[in-house]
Amino acid sequence: MISNREDALDISQDVFLKAYQALGDFKRASQFYSWLYRIAINCCIDFMRRGAKRRMISNDPVSDDAFYHHEAVRHLSSPSNAVDYEEFCLYLHRAVLQLTPKQREVFTLRYKEELSLKEIARKMGRSIGTVKAHLFQVHCNLRELLLPYLQDNGF
C-alpha cells in the first residue's frame, strides 16, 4: 500500500509497537494474523491520510515492485518492447497510487498477493459482495486513469 520502502519499514515498526501495546486487548475472537493485519492496514491508511510525503517511484532495487518489474522486462523479446513495458508500468503505478486506500488494499490483495475473493473478504472483515464491489470500482477507476495512456499509444 505504501510506495516508498523506507516509509513502509517505518510503518511496520509502528504496527508492531501498536500491536505490542494492545496485546492485552486481543480477545482471540479472530485469528492473531487477522488482528495484526488490520492494525497494519489502519497504520497505512493513517499514514496516507496524514498526507506524508510519498515518492511516486521507488529507486530501491530490492522493493517488490522493482523485482516484479525487472523480472517481467527481462522476459520481453526486444528492447523496444521493454521500453514500452517500463513506461506502462510507471503509468500503472501512478494510477494505482491515485486509488482510495480501500481500493488500493483490494488491488494489492487481489493482484499482488494473488488472494481469492473469499480470502480478501476474510482479511478485510467484509462480505464477498463488498469486496467484489470494491474490485469493480478499482477496475472502473483504473480503466479511466489508464485511458489517456492507452489512447496516446494507439491501443
Side-chain angles (χ1 to χ4, degrees):
M1 291 184 68
I2 306 299
S3 63
N4 181 318
R5 185 174 192 272
E6 287 76 29
D7 290 338
L9 289 171
D10 288 344
I11 291 169
S12 66
Q13 288 180 350
D14 292 341
V15 168
F16 286 106
L17 180 62
K18 286 181 180 186
Y20 178 75
Q21 291 170 341
L23 198 53
D25 297 334
F26 179 58
K27 305 271 190 263
R28 297 184 194 273
S30 63
Q31 291 183 348
F32 182 77
Y33 175 81
S34 300
W35 178 75
L36 185 61
Y37 182 81
R38 190 77 252 161
I39 293 172
I41 292 299
N42 290 340
C43 285
C44 289
I45 291 170
D46 289 346
F47 174 82
M48 289 185 281
R49 281 188 184 145
R50 283 193 305 263
K53 184 178 179 183
R54 298 184 308 264
R55 285 182 261 161
M56 293 297 270
I57 305 168
S58 173
N59 291 327
D60 181 1
V62 202
S63 74
D64 288 343
D65 292 336
F67 171 77
Y68 292 121
H69 170 72
H70 292 298
E71 280 298 302
V73 169
R74 190 167 60 91
H75 295 292
L76 293 172
S77 59
S78 73
S80 172
N81 288 348
V83 169
D84 291 343
Y85 184 79
E86 280 189 46
E87 183 180 325
F88 177 74
C89 284
L90 173 64
Y91 208 89
L92 176 62
H93 183 69
R94 288 180 178 159
V96 169
L97 289 175
Q98 292 179 47
L99 297 173
T100 66
K102 189 69 68 182
Q103 291 172 353
R104 195 176 315 150
E105 178 183 7
V106 171
F107 179 87
T108 300
L109 292 172
R110 182 68 173 157
Y111 297 109
K112 194 168 184 179
E113 294 187 25
E114 299 179 348
L115 298 181
S116 69
L117 295 176
K118 185 177 179 180
E119 292 170 319
I120 295 170
R122 184 180 51 78
K123 279 192 173 193
M124 293 180 68
R126 304 274 191 238
S127 70
I128 292 177
T130 301
V131 171
K132 286 181 181 180
H134 283 303
L135 199 54
F136 177 77
Q137 282 304 120
V138 166
H139 293 158
C140 289
N141 289 344
L142 286 178
R143 187 176 303 119
E144 184 179 315
L145 292 166
L146 293 174
L147 189 60
Y149 173 84
L150 296 173
Q151 287 174 338
D152 289 347
N153 290 288
F155 290 99

